[in-house]
Amino acid sequence: MPGQRFYVTTPIYYVNDIPHIGHAYTTVIADALARWHRLLGDDTWFLTGTDEHGLKIQRAAAANGISAQEQADRTSARFREAWDRIDISYDDFIRTTEDRHTASVQAFLQKVYDNGHIEKRRYSGLYCVACEAYYSEAEADEHGGNCPIHGTPLEFFEEDNYFFKLSAFTEPLLEWYAANPDAVQPEGKRNEALGLIRQGLEDVSITRTSLTWGVPVPWDPEHVFYVWYDALINYVTAIGYGTDDERFRAWWPSVHHLIAKDILRFHCVYWPAMLLAAGEAPPNRINVHGYLMVGGEKMSKTRLNQIFPSDLVHGNAEKEIPAFGVDGFRYHFLRDTPFGPDGDFSLEAMVTRYNADLANNLGNLLSRVATVVVKKCDGVGPAPRADSPLAAVAAEVYREAAAAWDAIAPSRALEATWKLIREANAHLEAHEPWKLDPGAEVDGILGDALEVLRIVAILAIPALPETTAEVWRRIGLEGVPSEQRLPAAARWGQYPGGLAVEKGAALFPRLTAP
Ligand code: MSP
């Protein structure tokens, strides 16, 4: 249905760390979904940004000998540069140190306080600064006094805190999960969240007095909100919570959060409870994916196993990494790491996939078609045939791809799209137009292949925003494919024929494995 709203978010990334391919993975998926929904004609809003408060940032700044604000400014800029480099088409980039965010956080949590869900207590416990989270004695004992995620020693903290009375939300959350079976995807992650809730929820401390780098508590400014309770609210700040109610009401029902499983508890337990406490609906959809691993381990600053987007896009001779280009980079993460389970990053697999799908399948289709059109049709692309056997394939591929994007399964959507490319190549090989004399048969075969290229130039936009525009141009079409609207534009038979086809350089030069 055209004209729906689609609001998609990534986590906001901490500014103690520079962007690596783990951050890029979530962000590219969000971007691909935003591009797909724009093609559907949906009113689309894509939010990403940076999480800039908390002790972790304060310590990183101190270690770098700069102020927390300077640390946030510098690193936030690096995230924006990284996203520009890989063609991330965000509509808004939020920074939690912005005034608009302070205003929304204060309005939101004041509401929760006024509704009676926050109270002051003395708190002590074992804290992990890297997680910005307290752990129970039991969790600490189980890991020898170390953080279960980072393996570093937990620190003992004691302070007066305001508590969010989360324990009162066990039942309301279970009811919400029962009434919204699709809210958390995939099902395994939904069950994990339900498991956490069924264990019984404890009240959580949501403020700190031990630091100043945060949003002040409006009713007690000695305190600042603990970074997570400020961070989650970014998703409503950006659409006007507390500042533009009409806008907030228009966009909130269509939200799709994307996160990795490391922050499932915050998004699938705390965040829905906070929203209920503020009198708002919990998120419409939370999509949880696994970790991108390197050599079997999660990428992290402490493990020094990070890979940076620019190394893969531009290549890095020192690290023996070939240049995949922007679209080669995006395609790999969308196609090769199915959404949900953990995925192991491998340069060899990335090269193999690039050569098979981009250099060979797509690249060959365009270069063959253009070569034969130049040779046999004086460079003028003929129109497709209404009764082409490829028409049914195109219709089926569209249905599959649309269903897969809808189910947040980019890997399946692209697999379906490439089926059409493979079929078109097979069709050419079966009929070998390069061996035939110019005439109606050659025109028909090439027209069909050009029509496939036209459709693929639209369907592959979420993965290949640059290349699809180039394919569109080379086959002689006007404008840019992103102006097309689905499903109408995917219907067979719209390549008009009579257009000048250009045989340019290889779209994706073949790469050799390191
Ligand atoms: N600031 C919090 C999120 C607050 S959202 C209200 C945070 N930031 S983070 O910088 O650590 O980013 C975590 C997110 O980055 C993950 O949830 C995931 O989206 C992405 N990833 C970072 N490393 C990743 C992998 N190795 N694999 C997959 N995703 C990864 O948590």
Side-chain angles (χ1 to χ4, degrees), residues 11-14 20 22 26 51 228 235 260 262-263 289-292:
I12 47 171
Y13 304 110
Y14 285 131
H20 56 63
T26 315
D51 189 354
W228 264 104
Y235 301 130
D262 52 344
I263 52 179
H289 63 71
Y291 292 150
L292 195 58

Side-chain angles (χ1 to χ4, degrees), residues 10-14 16-17 20-23 25-26 51 56 79 228 231-235 258-263 267 289-293 298-299:
T10 71
I12 47 171
Y13 304 110
Y14 285 131
N16 64 321
D17 205 358
H20 56 63
I21 56 172
H23 305 118
Y25 175 59
T26 315
D51 189 354
K56 197 202 306 241
F79 273 93
W228 264 104
L232 287 162
I233 294 169
N234 91 86
Y235 301 130
L258 298 188
I259 60 165
K261 64 183 184 184
D262 52 344
I263 52 179
H267 284 78
H289 63 71
Y291 292 150
L292 195 58
M293 318 276 273
K298 187 183 180 222
M299 229 177 329

Side-chain angles (χ1 to χ4, degrees), residues 14-20 23 56-57 59-61 63-64 71 75 130 150 298-308:
Y14 285 131
V15 290
N16 64 321
D17 205 358
I18 55 174
H20 56 63
H23 305 118
K56 197 202 306 241
I57 311 304
R59 286 195 179 166
N64 293 331
Q71 170 79 24
T75 315
H150 294 90
K298 187 183 180 222
M299 229 177 329
S300 74
K301 196 174 178 175
T302 38
R303 294 197 182 101
L304 292 174
N305 61 352
Q306 294 170 317
I307 298 172
F308 302 104

